[in-house]
Amino acid sequence: FAVSTVELVGIKFTNWSYNAVLKSMAGVRYVASQCTIEDSSSFIERPPAGGFSTPTIITRCKFRNTDRIFVNTNSDFHGLVTNVDYYAAANKSCIDSENNHRLNLIVKQCSILTRDSISNFAIRAGIVENCIVRNAADGSGSATAIHAKGSFSNNSVSGLFANVEVGGGTAGVAAITSNPLFTSEADPNPNLIIQSTSPCIDAGKDTGITIDFLGTARPQGSAFDIGAYELQIGVCLTGVTINSLTSVTATLDNDPIVSTVDDPTDWTFSTTSPLANIPTAIAVTQGSTIREWTVTLAGEGLSAGVTYVLTAPNLANSSGASTCKSFSFAVPSNLAPTASEHDFPKPPLEIVTH
């Protein structure tokens, strides 16, 4: 039978307390991308039966304090969950097909932090690949990290779990059981981006998921990273184009995390010339690609004939020394300021006597 698609992009759902955010509709499947679901009971109730060509898709979504993605599932529903950032605050299931014998839910490249001291499932699906599952609860419990009826491979499981990986068996490398080294595990909004020393870097298989939660291309290194985030390698400031004394365009050699370069305070100028202006950025706009950013300067901007250093101090995951975040450029001595009505010379004062 025909299946219609409802797409949801960039929507935030908060405090949905009755059963689920999205209800089942006959012949309709959901495709959710870049959504945030927080403080809710669950996301999708009774996802429709479908086939591998028309699965329910959840990708690049963030879950906070929400009890599972799916609830009241059909026995033959098909789902694909990728690049999900999921924090379950206490004793909640996360990506759960609700049955130990279901093969048709596929979960890849997800990062989960839970605090489960009872017997829930972090992931219960058919196939689970390149996922991080960490339980930060204290004490004892009987929670299961991954139950995969079909197969599991190249995952990272750590913390308080009675069962690491159970089900159909491994189809690749067994789980890494050391700490994945998230940036922060602090409640209520941890940062699940992995640190540069994480054992999950270059430890994944090629899952066919070619971008991560942030849209960064995979892989950045010699192989896929495990989890929802691909650690960016070598994001450096590599060039500056002078548009005028009040505008320059900075070029980066890799895709930055946008939030580290999209604000005027993310860019600073310096110079050793004692009489030169020290310009201040007042606006930043993205160019034709994510690697180009035009910085607009206040007042008179740059001084002609002076060498400046432009720095992006918050540039994420920059490789090498701090100089990778800076670029030196010289302003031509003949570069004139942009003319305005106030720049044109006024006629000399004329005094007429009789």
Side-chain angles (χ1 to χ4, degrees), residues 70-217:
F70 304 107
V71 66
N72 297 335
T73 58
N74 292 304
S75 60
D76 56 352
F77 92 96
H78 287 68
L80 177 62
V81 179
T82 65
N83 285 328
V84 158
D85 175 320
Y86 204 123
Y87 174 54
N91 299 331
K92 299 178 183 295
S93 293
C94 301
I95 308 173
D96 187 2
S97 68
E98 300 186 314
N99 189 292
N100 289 345
H101 304 290
R102 292 185 177 165
L103 287 166
N104 298 331
L105 176 60
I106 298 172
V107 182
K108 298 181 179 183
Q109 303 287 171
C110 294
S111 294
I112 295 175
L113 175 64
T114 184
R115 300 183 189 278
D116 187 358
S117 59
I118 51 177
S119 57
N120 291 302
F121 293 86
I123 301 177
R124 183 162 45 166
I127 297 173
V128 183
E129 297 176 345
N130 283 20
C131 291
I132 298 175
V133 183
R134 177 161 173 78
N135 190 354
D138 296 322
S140 61
S142 56
T144 297
I146 295 173
H147 188 294
K149 174 64 175 176
S151 64
F152 43 78
S153 61
N154 297 78
N155 299 300
S156 168
V157 177
S158 61
L160 184 66
F161 286 112
N163 303 298
V164 174
E165 291 180 318
V166 295
T170 182
V173 177
I176 296 171
T177 55
S178 54
N179 191 322
L181 298 180
F182 290 135
T183 298
S184 170
E185 296 184 359
D187 183 73
N189 191 28
N191 184 340
L192 303 191
I193 295 175
I194 55 177
Q195 300 178 52
S196 60
T197 53
S198 170
C200 297
I201 296 171
D202 295 343
K205 64 186 295 184
D206 185 344
T207 57
I209 310 299
T210 57
I211 60 172
D212 75 349
F213 180 92
L214 297 170
T216 302

Side-chain angles (χ1 to χ4, degrees), residues 225-277:
D225 294 347
I226 299 173
Y229 296 94
E230 186 80 5
L231 187 70
Q232 298 179 36
I233 304 299
V235 185
C236 295
L237 179 57
T238 57
V240 174
T241 300
I242 302 171
N243 306 315
S244 69
L245 290 180
T246 56
S247 174
V248 299
T249 297
T251 303
L252 304 170
D253 71 344
N254 211 330
D255 294 350
I257 295 176
V258 172
S259 62
T260 64
V261 292
D262 65 352
D263 189 271
T265 60
D266 294 324
W267 300 91
T268 62
F269 293 81
S270 61
T271 180
T272 57
S273 299
L275 301 179
N277 297 326

